[in-house]
Amino acid sequence: MTSPLPILSILTFLPLAGAIVIGFLPRGNAAAVRYTALGVALVNWVLSLWMLAGFDAAASGFQYGEVVDWIPGLGIQYKVGVDGLSAALVVLTTTLSWIAILGSFGPIKDRLKEYMISFLVLEVGMIGVFISLDLFLFYIFWEVVLVPMYLIIGIWGGPNRIYATIKFVLYTLVGSLLMLVAILATAWTFQTVTGSWTGAFDFERLRDLAGTGAFAGTFGLLAFLAFFLAFAIKVPMFPFHTWLPDAHVEAPTAGSVILAAILLKLGGYGLIRFALGLYPDAARTFGPAIVVLSLIAIIYGAIVALVQPDLKKLVAYSSVSHMGFVSLGIFVFNEQGMQGAILQMINHGLITGALFLLVGVIYER
């Protein structure tokens, strides 16, 4: 599917334009700041529905593709596109973004401009992750997500927000560094095999080498492991989950909504798209161990959730359990498991977002 408009770029960067506009609004005009942020998020939501309405579910491959050379010497492109998985997650992101901004109207009063700017920049990063078809571009958007969420928890969070923020950042940065090493190693291997940097970060070109000797052996195992650890921390899988309850408890309500409903899905999406998509043989090698970790997460998260006196912690630990079903479905390596994992990601996003909004109402009262 093609479009006369660069719909994916508009979806990605419209919130950034809104953040810039808010930056010029007078600080004392809280209503203008709130409604500008909400209006931009609503327009983005409508555009995402228009994109989904034109999506051809019967067609294979990526649709609404856009390709522009960015750093030609290294084969880095601004390349975006969506398939069924990423289209659904983009719509989930735009839907929950305007709901979270609307839910912030009452609770957030201090530094309102900075808060709304952070939220809109966060939306830029989340949508960018889901549509990127260039590994370097994907990494840039992945890191963009970290900064506004760090600010949202660290400035507008609860009493222990600094501890929760630093823990969240340290965990995420470790995963990001591992992923960066894996991305560079993957591109270098592609260049070694083809003799050219052209397409070295292009997901579709790299996927053609998946399952071949170039991405096999010890290199394939190590590269998969680096990708897997980065995404497992974000999911979060047991035993990499300990940052999540603290972040949820200290984050403002809207931050908890986005953290649980969207940010955890970045990990699940990465596992499907990149870890499994580029290194299927290594995924099968580690599959049994990952299934065991997923089963532990399902049972452990549910049991710990049962004894939580804090509602936010209860929902946080239930998220560990629910996301265990996602990783389990991905690594059973059959169609039903994969479809179940994707369905669970969408279900969890909607249900957990609603639960955190309800918990926020109780907290406020």
Side-chain angles (χ1 to χ4, degrees), residues 52 54-60 63 84:
L52 189 64
F55 185 84
D56 186 358
S60 60
Q63 302 177 38

Side-chain angles (χ1 to χ4, degrees), residues 235-238 241 244-246 248-249 256 260-261 264-265 294-308 310-326 344 347-356 359:
V235 165
M237 285 183 65
F238 177 90
H241 67 284
L244 183 67
D246 294 310
H248 272 314
V249 169
S256 293
L264 305 191
K265 309 307 174 293
S294 301
L295 291 171
I296 293 172
I298 292 168
I299 299 168
Y300 165 81
I303 292 174
V304 176
L306 282 172
V307 299
Q308 293 304 314
D310 186 290
L311 279 174
K312 279 192 172 183
K313 271 197 175 181
L314 186 153
V315 182
Y317 277 108
S318 75
S319 294
V320 174
S321 179
H322 294 156
M323 292 304 291
F325 284 103
V326 173
Q344 175 69 352
N347 290 346
H348 181 264
L350 294 172
I351 293 169
T352 310
L355 280 172
F356 272 116
V359 171

